[in-house]
Amino acid sequence: VSFKKAFQGATAFNNGETENNKTNPLSWDTTRATTFHSTFTECSNFNQNMIRGEVTLTISVGDVTTNFIYNAWDMETTITVFNMFYLCSSFNGEIDSWNIRNILDFGNMFKSCSDFEQYLGYWNVMNGVNLTDMFTGSKLRLSYPYLLDTPTNVDYFFNLGTDAAIS
């Protein structure tokens, strides 16, 4: 399943909420998703929490009610989040509960997300192959520069240049 460019350029998209109101988090079933390449790119007003956890969806048709239970934001099958939030200037949603251990491509994930500064201390990016410019232009870059476990093959993790590259 691919969410590639699903909302790219949707500058007004914010899950039906008003600006900076995160009371209605996105609760998508992502258990079979493999790519989130540019999913929210240029969604300048997007700012929703995307918390991993069990969700119950209740559907009623006439007298019959059915509950569907799924795990929201289970990222275990995801392999790329390249440009996922690129240029989402308002985004500062909670995503620290995601299981990201199988993701290979984190390139530009939060690039130019000027408001993003969420704690990601539980993230383990050891399997990441591309983390280029992952936090360039975000508040997280300045707030927690040594926060994440990092692989040894990453240059320009925070776009600090070759002298400061993580090794």
Side-chain angles (χ1 to χ4, degrees), residues 23-96:
T23 59
N24 188 23
L26 289 182
S27 318
W28 295 354
D29 182 355
T30 59
T31 53
R32 290 178 277 165
T34 57
T35 182
F36 285 92
H37 182 295
S38 301
T39 301
F40 302 105
T41 293
E42 299 174 340
C43 292
S44 54
N45 288 310
F46 179 66
N47 188 23
Q48 294 296 307
N49 291 323
M50 296 186 252
I51 302 166
R52 181 175 164 223
E54 190 173 279
V55 174
T56 302
L57 174 65
T58 303
I59 298 176
S60 298
V61 178
D63 292 337
V64 179
T65 299
T66 305
N67 289 328
F68 297 93
I69 298 173
Y70 63 91
N71 286 315
W73 293 101
D74 181 348
M75 303 292 276
E76 196 155 344
T77 60
T78 302
I79 56 173
T80 183
V81 289
F82 182 80
N83 279 351
M84 186 173 182
F85 301 105
Y86 178 54
L87 291 171
C88 291
S89 55
S90 297
F91 182 67
N92 192 30
E94 184 180 330
I95 58 173
D96 66 312

Side-chain angles (χ1 to χ4, degrees), residues 100 106 110 118-126 131 134-135 140 144-151 157-158 166:
I100 52 107
F106 292 92
F110 302 103
Q118 288 293 318
Y119 180 74
L120 302 176
Y122 298 108
W123 279 26
N124 181 333
V125 296
M126 293 300 290
L131 285 83
M134 185 174 174
F135 300 107
L140 180 73
Y144 306 105
Y146 306 105
L147 179 71
L148 307 174
D149 290 333
T150 56
F157 186 57
F158 291 99
I166 296 169

Side-chain angles (χ1 to χ4, degrees), residues 5-27:
K5 299 183 179 182
F7 296 97
Q8 183 175 2
T11 57
F13 176 70
N14 197 28
N15 197 34
E17 299 290 348
T18 57
E19 186 175 346
N20 293 320
N21 181 353
K22 299 187 287 187
T23 59
N24 188 23
L26 289 182
S27 318

Side-chain angles (χ1 to χ4, degrees), residues 127-143:
N127 291 324
V129 175
N130 178 20
L131 285 83
T132 304
D133 291 335
M134 185 174 174
F135 300 107
T136 300
S138 72
K139 286 183 183 175
L140 180 73
R141 175 181 181 271
L142 301 173
S143 302

